[in-house]
Amino acid sequence: LIDDLKAVCAGYGLGNSSSEFDIITQAFLYKYLNDKFTDQLKKVKPALTEGENWQEELAKMDDDEYRLLEFELESNAAFLFPRHFITYLFNRQNDPEFAKTLDDTLIDISQKNSAIFSVTTGGGSKIQLFDRITEFVKDSSKRDDFARAIINKLVNVNFEGIMEEGFDFFSTIFEYLIKDYNNDSGGKYAEYYTPHSVSKIMAAILVPESVSDVTIYDPSAGSGTLLMNLAHSIGPKKCTVYSQDISQKSSNLLRLNLILNNLVHSIGNVIQGNTMTAPFHRENGRLRKFNYIVSNPPFKLDFSDDVDELKKKINQDRFFAGIPNVPKKAKNKMAIYSMFLQHIMFSLADGGKAAVVVPTGFITAQSGIDKKIRQQLVENKMLAGVVSMPSNIFATTGTNVSIVFFDKANDGKVVLIDASNLGTSIKEGKAQKTVLSKDEEKHIIKTFVNKEAVDDFSIAVDYDEIKSKNYSLSAGQYFEVKIDYQEISFEEYNNLINEHKSNIKNLFLDSTRLENKIVHNLENLSYE
């Protein structure tokens, strides 16, 4: 279906355009919500949905009687009327102004389900579920045909049989759906897609045991990959999702992700806005504290316009380590990730846990904001550990990354893992990407959770040891240097020494010959 919808867009001159993303995702979502509603209706009212023409019979119901159905259906599906069904539109596709009919249908669904499915902006405005997708076709004479092409693709597939599939299934579908559109090139917050293996490791380490009735949060949510993995580890009905991201595109993607993963109850907590200057989520007049926080924040971005706002007194406690400098010749290289780290530490509830993707340079920086943050984590005993990942784990950036784990209840050992030598390198597009195997993922998770020490891979240290190493969180600095001794005889010793002396003499002779040759060649150079 996704490929077919892309083909339709290409046929009407919209292939690889900025509007193709909106059309593909919204048409897909319209189909999903249709079949989700139908699937639920068949479960609660099997007698109503028998026979080939059951949708036509449903349309004959009195409006008041039909509305009563809403109370019997689960709240994680949009409530649709017969006029919203894809088959209803399919049977009327030869009517005049069919494009307007399709667009009006989408807007009507949005308005009637606004309370549940709208994303909120930082200013309190509502971003509706659907747009008028046929208006992306600039030639109005082609819009009816475009609308018919979309409906004819949607009517030929049925999602009802997949509604009971789990997270792994829908995360794969979602990744395929957005793979051509979700990249790190747009918006003030880059819209990163965190690799599934990284998300899985973060979630598994954060939630090794069953928990319930908890809040989870991402201050730079992007498309929601990290939140979905964490929610899956906890259970969709056992957690409430909160998020914020400055990008409307990302917020719409996250909404779609929540719908696909039975987390519709959290859509009202999806906020489009600037987390640094205007954090939205509050409780009792103060910034809300969360049980679990995950984030893959942008590493470097231009926040120069916001520096004065960020330095205000109201933000001093939140940004205890300071505001990163704005590079004079490259404003877009402001190290904004350090702001997110401080915000996350401030937003973590007592006993809370967090996992944040950072550039690996953060874990060893000997001064500045990074060092102050690490020092605070150690002094306040809220550090669980660090996993340094293989290079190119993100195909979109060459920056080496590590995952820092917070745990406000950890007064014991801190786990440091060097996983940089794991993984297999593959080519993804024009870039090289490192992929972890399932066994490698399990190895990292098991080692961290059990706080195991594995030669040249992991170590568990206490806070005092970290202080003695100038707060370095690099596993390699704590590994024991092992020397293998070998017993040799006096004669063997002399033979080795003589061999080395001979080799060194030969190298010196070669060096002298080369020096003489270079000088000779220089002396014979002539100007022409």
Side-chain angles (χ1 to χ4, degrees):
L1 173 64
I2 295 166
D3 290 343
D4 283 349
L5 292 172
K6 287 180 179 179
V8 171
C9 288
Y12 285 83
L14 298 170
N16 298 316
S17 68
S18 58
S19 54
E20 183 188 34
F21 161 78
D22 295 294
I23 295 166
I24 299 293
T25 54
Q26 291 186 59
F28 179 90
L29 181 56
Y30 174 43
K31 175 60 181 173
Y32 178 83
L33 292 177
N34 251 258
D35 289 354
K36 181 82 170 178
F37 176 81
T38 302
D39 181 64
Q40 289 196 8
L41 194 62
K42 287 180 177 179
K43 288 176 181 175
V44 299
K45 292 288 184 184
L48 273 178
T49 54
E50 291 176 354
E52 285 187 25
N53 301 317
W54 67 268
Q55 291 186 355
E56 293 179 16
E57 295 300 316
L58 204 65
K60 296 176 184 178
M61 287 179 65
D62 175 83
D63 265 6
D64 290 337
E65 182 185 2
Y66 190 86
R67 290 297 309 222
L68 292 175
L69 291 173
E70 189 171 3
F71 298 100
E72 299 186 54
L73 301 178
E74 293 181 27
S75 60
N76 62 356
F79 187 76
L80 305 182
F81 287 84
R83 64 180 180 274
H84 298 146
F85 294 164
I86 290 170
T87 49
Y88 179 88
L89 295 183
F90 177 77
N91 292 329
R92 285 156 184 78
Q93 61 180 296
N94 292 321
D95 291 355
E97 296 188 312
F98 182 66
K100 182 177 183 302
T101 300
L102 173 57
D103 286 341
D104 287 348
T105 299
L106 296 177
I107 298 303
D108 195 35
I109 293 171
S110 296
Q111 292 173 346
K112 291 196 172 349
N113 292 276
S114 176
I116 299 175
F117 288 93
S118 290
V119 167
T120 306
T121 67
S125 300
K126 299 291 185 181
I127 302 172
Q128 62 187 10
L129 196 58
F130 294 117
D131 299 312
R132 294 184 170 276
I133 62 172
T134 72
E135 292 184 1
F136 290 116
V137 178
K138 299 306 179 185
D139 186 345
S140 58
S141 67
K142 294 182 178 180
R143 288 176 184 167
D144 286 346
D145 286 339
F146 176 71
R148 294 185 189 102
I150 292 289
I151 289 297
N152 277 283
K153 296 301 182 185
L154 298 183
V155 80
N156 285 325
V157 294
N158 191 326
F159 290 172
E160 292 174 43
I162 64 169
M163 293 302 169
E164 301 306 318
E165 293 285 350
F167 170 73
D168 289 338
F169 176 85
F170 283 110
S171 63
T172 304
I173 294 297
F174 181 79
E175 186 172 355
Y176 188 82
L177 179 66
I178 69 169
K179 71 182 179 72
D180 293 331
Y181 312 112
N182 194 40
N183 54 54
D184 63 348
S185 62
K188 192 166 185 178
Y189 291 3
E191 296 162 86
Y192 295 115
Y193 180 85
T194 307
H196 188 63
S197 61
V198 176
S199 305
K200 181 180 175 182
I201 289 168
M202 291 168 72
I205 289 174
L206 284 178
V207 192
E209 299 173 347
S210 177
V211 297
S212 61
D213 193 24
V214 295
T215 55
I216 66 177
Y217 171 57
D218 189 337
S220 57
S223 57
T225 314
L226 292 175
L227 285 170
M228 295 307 101
N229 275 271
L230 183 57
H232 170 64
S233 291
I234 296 169
K237 294 181 180 179
K238 296 179 179 180
C239 64
T240 305
V241 176
Y242 293 82
S243 75
Q244 190 163 349
D245 197 291
I246 205 167
S247 165
Q248 181 173 328
K249 172 182 171 183
S250 289
S251 298
N252 286 337
L253 282 173
L254 175 55
R255 172 170 55 187
L256 173 57
N257 225 345
L258 290 168
I259 291 170
L260 292 177
N261 289 287
N262 289 321
L263 286 158
V264 171
H265 63 275
S266 291
I267 289 178
N269 302 324
V270 175
I271 303 300
Q272 183 210 332
N274 188 327
T275 311
M276 296 296 96
T277 58
F280 183 87
H281 298 292
R282 295 180 180 271
E283 192 173 37
N284 300 323
R286 298 183 178 183
L287 286 187
R288 189 180 186 113
K289 307 288 186 179
F290 301 94
N291 302 118
Y292 294 90
I293 303 177
V294 285
S295 184
N296 175 19
F299 291 170
K300 296 179 181 180
L301 281 175
D302 180 5
F303 262 69
S304 56
D305 292 342
D306 299 321
V307 168
D308 290 340
E309 181 70 25
L310 296 171
K311 286 183 176 179
K312 286 183 177 179
K313 187 175 180 180
I314 193 173
N315 286 320
Q316 284 181 1
D317 289 340
R318 186 161 60 117
F319 301 128
F320 64 89
I323 311 298
N325 294 326
V326 180
K328 291 181 180 179
K329 295 184 178 180
K331 290 183 178 181
N332 63 336
K333 292 186 178 180
M334 183 179 175
I336 194 64
Y337 70 87
S338 64
M339 304 288 290
F340 280 93
L341 277 168
Q342 294 174 78
H343 172 76
I344 289 166
M345 291 169 69
F346 187 82
S347 302
L348 202 56
D350 290 341
K353 297 181 179 182
V356 190
V357 179
V358 298
T360 292
F362 164 80
I363 68 176
T364 55
Q366 293 301 297
S367 61
I369 293 174
D370 289 353
K371 170 99 178 276
K372 289 178 183 177
I373 292 173
R374 299 200 315 272
Q375 189 169 352
Q376 187 89 335
L377 288 170
V378 172
E379 298 294 346
N380 290 342
K381 294 187 175 179
M382 58 182 297
L383 180 64
V386 172
V387 178
S388 295
M389 302 299 290
S391 59
N392 298 320
I393 197 76
F394 290 82
T396 53
T397 176
T399 305
N400 287 343
V401 303
S402 294
I403 308 168
V404 180
F405 291 88
F406 306 163
D407 183 352
K408 292 187 81 170
N410 182 36
D411 57 0
K413 294 285 187 179
V414 174
V415 183
L416 304 176
I417 293 178
D418 181 2
S420 60
N421 293 320
L422 300 184
T424 303
S425 183
I426 63 169
K427 195 160 187 179
E428 188 172 279
K430 295 180 180 179
Q432 288 295 123
K433 180 180 179 181
T434 301
V435 178
L436 295 173
S437 69
K438 300 293 183 185
D439 287 341
E440 287 173 327
E441 291 173 8
K442 290 176 183 176
H443 181 44
I444 293 171
I445 295 165
K446 177 177 173 290
T447 301
F448 195 107
V449 172
N450 294 334
K451 298 190 174 185
E452 297 175 0
V454 179
D455 285 351
D456 298 326
F457 180 72
S458 67
I459 192 164
V461 298
D462 58 37
Y463 286 112
D464 287 337
E465 288 180 82
I466 296 174
K467 291 178 187 179
S468 71
K469 294 283 188 180
N470 205 19
Y471 299 94
S472 171
L473 303 180
S474 173
Q477 292 193 24
Y478 297 84
F479 291 155
E480 181 183 352
V481 178
K482 296 181 179 180
I483 301 174
D484 290 330
Y485 292 96
Q486 185 178 354
E487 290 288 338
I488 59 174
S489 68
F490 181 73
E491 184 180 355
E492 289 172 324
Y493 168 79
N494 277 332
N495 289 338
L496 284 171
I497 291 296
N498 290 331
E499 183 181 343
H500 289 317
K501 285 165 64 177
S502 175
N503 288 337
I504 290 171
K505 285 180 180 178
N506 289 332
L507 288 171
F508 284 153
L509 288 172
D510 286 342
S511 175
T512 302
R513 282 194 294 269
L514 284 170
E515 286 176 15
N516 292 333
K517 188 174 183 180
I518 291 169
V519 170
H520 174 74
N521 289 337
L522 285 171
E523 289 175 345
N524 286 283
L525 286 175
S526 60
Y527 175 78
E528 293 182 2

